[in-house]
Each structure stands twice: as structure tokens, then as C-alpha cells.
Amino acid sequence: MAPRSKLVIKVTAGADAPERCSQAFTVASVAAASGTEVSVWLTGESAWFALPGRAAEFELPHAAPLPDLMAAVQATGRITLCTQCAARRGIEEKDVIEGVRIAGAQLFVSEIMPEGVQALVY
């Protein structure tokens, strides 16, 4: 049996670029639903979505609700908040929604380097 594929998505956009942000989470949730191992990294303005209630404030016409997309990823995958992005915004481990971890570039690199991993940046 072939090893299960993995998709790592770095989301750099938030409400500042809603279509790009929504595309990232849509691709992540579809991949998760298809059985792909998914890891989403919240960086830049998407860092705010690690906080309770922030995803629910995000709106984009004709797009699935962001909380639903995030829940689909978390059901089988992982969401990580960039350490530096969190620090720049004053976000601490105690502040984030359940299941979101805070980690840095070293872990990101270790996730994207193995064979069979596809990394995307939105």
C-alpha cells in the first residue's frame, strides 16, 4: 500500500485578501475530506483565526463558512499558528482555540521536506 500523501498549506492571507484566504481553507478541507493528511499553518493576517470567534467574523460571498472549513481540517489534520506571527500580535498559547498549536519555522520545514509532501502557500 502506498504511503498516505500529505498536504501542508501556509495561509498568509486573512480578511486583507479574503478570496486567497478562503481558497486556502477550501483546498485544505477538500483534501482532508478526501483522506489526505493536512497541516495548515496560520501566518501573517490569518494568525487572527487562531483566536476564538475570529473565523466566524470572516465573510466572503459564495464561500463556505470559515469555521466549517477549519473544523473539517481539524477533524483529521492539524492547524498551527506561526510562533513569530503570534508574538507580533500578542497571541499566546492560552488564547488560541482548542487544537491549535503554536510552532516555528523549524517544525514547518520538518513537515514540508519529507518525500510525498506537497506544500502550498496562499
Side-chain angles (χ1 to χ4, degrees), residues 62-106:
H62 310 289
L66 192 53
D68 295 350
L69 297 175
M70 290 178 68
V73 170
Q74 284 189 297
T76 60
R78 168 147 242 155
I79 296 178
T80 304
L81 171 58
C82 162
T83 302
Q84 290 181 10
C85 300
R88 280 190 281 275
R89 289 161 179 80
I91 300 171
E92 299 177 15
E93 195 82 42
K94 66 178 177 50
D95 302 322
V96 301
I97 57 178
E98 186 176 340
V100 172
R101 68 178 172 180
I102 298 177
Q106 183 179 359

Side-chain angles (χ1 to χ4, degrees), residues 19-94:
E19 288 183 309
R20 191 162 29 114
C21 176
S22 180
Q23 289 168 1
F25 283 103
T26 299
V27 168
S29 67
V30 168
S34 74
T36 300
E37 182 182 351
V38 176
S39 175
V40 170
W41 282 73
L42 304 176
T43 68
E45 286 302 296
S46 73
W48 295 114
F49 299 131
L51 297 175
R54 288 294 186 98
E57 296 172 3
F58 180 86
E59 290 185 10
L60 181 64
H62 310 289
L66 192 53
D68 295 350
L69 297 175
M70 290 178 68
V73 170
Q74 284 189 297
T76 60
R78 168 147 242 155
I79 296 178
T80 304
L81 171 58
C82 162
T83 302
Q84 290 181 10
C85 300
R88 280 190 281 275
R89 289 161 179 80
I91 300 171
E92 299 177 15
E93 195 82 42
K94 66 178 177 50

